[in-house]
Amino acid sequence: MRWYVVASLLTVLTSSQGILTTLSQSNGGYKYDYATVPFLAEVFKLLVSSVFLWREMQNSPPPKMTMDWKSVRLYPIPSIIYLIHNNVQFATLTYVDTSTYQIMGNLKIVTTGILFRLFLKRKLTNLQWMAIILLAVGTTTSQVKGCGGASCDSFFSSPIQGYLFGALSACLSALAGVYTEFLMKKNNDSLYWQNVQLYTFGSIFNMGRLLMDDFRSGFEEGPWWQRIFNGYNMTTWLVVLNLGTTGLLVSWLMKYADNIVKVYATSMAMLLTMVLSVILFNFKPTVQLFLGIIICMMSLHMYFAPPSTLVDLPLTVKPVSESVSEVPAERKTDS
């Protein structure tokens, strides 16, 4: 399967996540425990990967599967990074408002490019660096609601701790993605075997979070496994299915493409969500949204298009000696 097909599917599914989550609400809140959704999504990814791995093992030769503990012990690290990242997100939101948090979240586009270069030793051209910065500018522009009065003051009036936590959140998000790509590409193991390892630890960590929530609440509503499906309806299951399928597509891109492709897919998904919100939820489009879409499209073209289509390369001028040698013999005689 072509990487751009997978990236397009990821864009569509990611853009529908927010819409499905909104539709799953009832009277502005959730009737179900939202913490159970990531856990069930991890279990779904684990089951799907296990089925595909089992099918691969029926073939000859069987898929490559590294079971050495030195390799397996690396797979909990992305879950640990995401766990720390989630806590940093909550810390950030205690110092800044939601709009400021969303704008600062675009820093992860640039930090992904930097870590992509430092840790994976992947060289980017000057045009590609310009495209990544343009992408961050475009997504930020689309989220700005205008500079009238308090809207701009709120961004610049947050405590310094908020900006530091926001920068740390962007770095952790990029680090988790880059490290996952490193894991997926460090050997020729089966993608599904690598997924089984990732999602096993992901399920364990999400289960641990549910247990921690129970201890914090003093088990007022009973243990999590007794109420895991409480309040679930068809839309909630679509949220779980969407989240799980998105994770599987991301792991495919990490194996066969790279983090930058994933960043573009998720950034375009955010813009697509805004456009769909105009249709579905009567969201009023702004000039900033249209400008952001144009900038992001320019960035997309700059990053993936061949350089020859972006820059007019100078025509090669033949040396004088070569041009003289090519003069017809009769003209030389005449002179």
Side-chain angles (χ1 to χ4, degrees):
M1 188 181 294
R2 301 285 185 176
W3 66 263
Y4 48 81
V5 175
V6 177
S8 300
L9 287 173
L10 179 61
T11 298
V12 173
L13 289 177
T14 304
S15 66
S16 61
Q17 276 181 13
I19 295 172
L20 287 173
T21 303
T22 302
L23 293 175
S24 70
Q25 294 178 352
S26 179
N27 298 323
Y30 301 106
K31 287 186 176 180
Y32 57 93
D33 184 358
Y34 190 72
T36 61
V37 173
F39 170 71
L40 291 175
E42 290 294 315
V43 173
F44 169 78
K45 290 185 286 186
L46 177 59
L47 291 175
V48 171
S49 299
S50 299
V51 170
F52 278 104
L53 178 62
W54 176 79
R55 289 184 60 184
E56 271 193 345
M57 294 176 68
Q58 308 307 308
N59 299 330
S60 180
K64 183 181 178 183
M65 297 166 57
T66 303
M67 299 186 182
D68 181 42
W69 169 243
K70 291 182 180 179
S71 176
V72 175
R73 69 183 180 181
L74 300 176
Y75 283 84
I77 295 178
S79 297
I80 295 173
I81 297 174
Y82 280 121
L83 181 65
I84 299 172
H85 173 250
N86 291 337
N87 288 303
V88 171
Q89 281 183 313
F90 284 112
T92 306
L93 287 168
T94 60
Y95 293 102
V96 302
D97 56 30
T98 306
S99 299
T100 303
Y101 174 77
Q102 288 178 339
I103 292 174
M104 291 181 64
N106 295 317
L107 280 173
K108 67 184 178 185
I109 296 173
V110 179
T111 54
T112 297
I114 294 172
L115 296 181
F116 184 75
R117 175 69 181 90
L118 292 178
F119 289 100
L120 298 181
K121 308 298 182 184
R122 300 286 295 276
K123 188 175 181 180
L124 299 173
T125 65
N126 292 336
L127 277 174
Q128 289 176 324
W129 277 115
M130 291 173 61
I132 290 173
I133 294 172
L134 265 182
L135 180 64
V137 171
T139 52
T140 302
T141 301
S142 66
Q143 293 168 340
V144 173
K145 297 180 180 178
C147 266
S151 61
C152 278
D153 293 339
S154 63
F155 180 79
F156 295 105
S157 61
S158 301
I160 186 65
Q161 295 94 324
Y163 299 114
L164 292 176
F165 276 121
L168 178 59
S169 175
C171 290
L172 287 171
S173 176
L175 178 61
V178 169
Y179 185 83
T180 302
E181 182 178 345
F182 161 75
L183 280 181
M184 304 301 280
K185 291 179 176 175
K186 73 183 182 71
N187 55 35
N188 293 322
D189 279 6
S190 163
L191 168 64
Y192 304 115
W193 167 239
Q194 293 175 318
N195 280 349
V196 165
Q197 296 174 85
L198 277 175
Y199 302 141
T200 296
F201 289 110
S203 300
I204 292 172
F205 277 96
N206 276 278
M207 187 188 304
R209 180 195 170 185
L210 291 171
L211 282 172
M212 288 178 61
D213 290 343
D214 284 344
F215 278 109
R216 287 173 183 169
S217 63
F219 291 88
E220 291 180 356
E221 300 179 4
W224 63 269
W225 57 84
Q226 291 183 359
R227 52 181 171 78
I228 186 170
F229 301 124
N230 289 354
Y232 270 60
N233 54 30
M234 181 60 69
T235 308
T236 315
W237 282 111
L238 287 176
V239 174
V240 173
L241 182 63
N242 181 293
L243 193 60
T245 307
T246 299
L248 292 171
L249 292 177
V250 168
S251 69
W252 192 97
L253 286 177
M254 294 296 185
K255 183 75 170 179
Y256 300 111
D258 57 48
N259 261 280
I260 305 299
V261 174
K262 187 203 79 170
V263 164
Y264 268 95
T266 53
S267 298
M268 295 301 166
M270 181 189 65
L271 298 175
L272 181 58
T273 301
M274 292 182 181
V275 173
L276 292 175
S277 297
V278 173
I279 301 171
L280 298 176
F281 304 115
N282 295 322
F283 175 77
K284 292 184 179 179
T286 62
V287 175
Q288 291 90 335
L289 173 59
F290 290 113
L291 288 175
I293 292 174
I294 293 172
I295 294 172
C296 288
M297 290 298 140
M298 291 172 58
S299 168
L300 183 69
H301 181 64
M302 281 181 64
Y303 189 90
F304 292 104
S308 59
T309 65
L310 302 173
V311 180
D312 291 330
L313 299 177
L315 295 175
T316 56
V317 180
K318 296 181 180 179
V320 176
S321 59
E322 182 180 349
S323 60
V324 170
S325 64
E326 291 179 358
V327 176
E330 61 271 14
R331 293 194 56 186
K332 288 184 180 179
T333 306
D334 294 339
S335 61

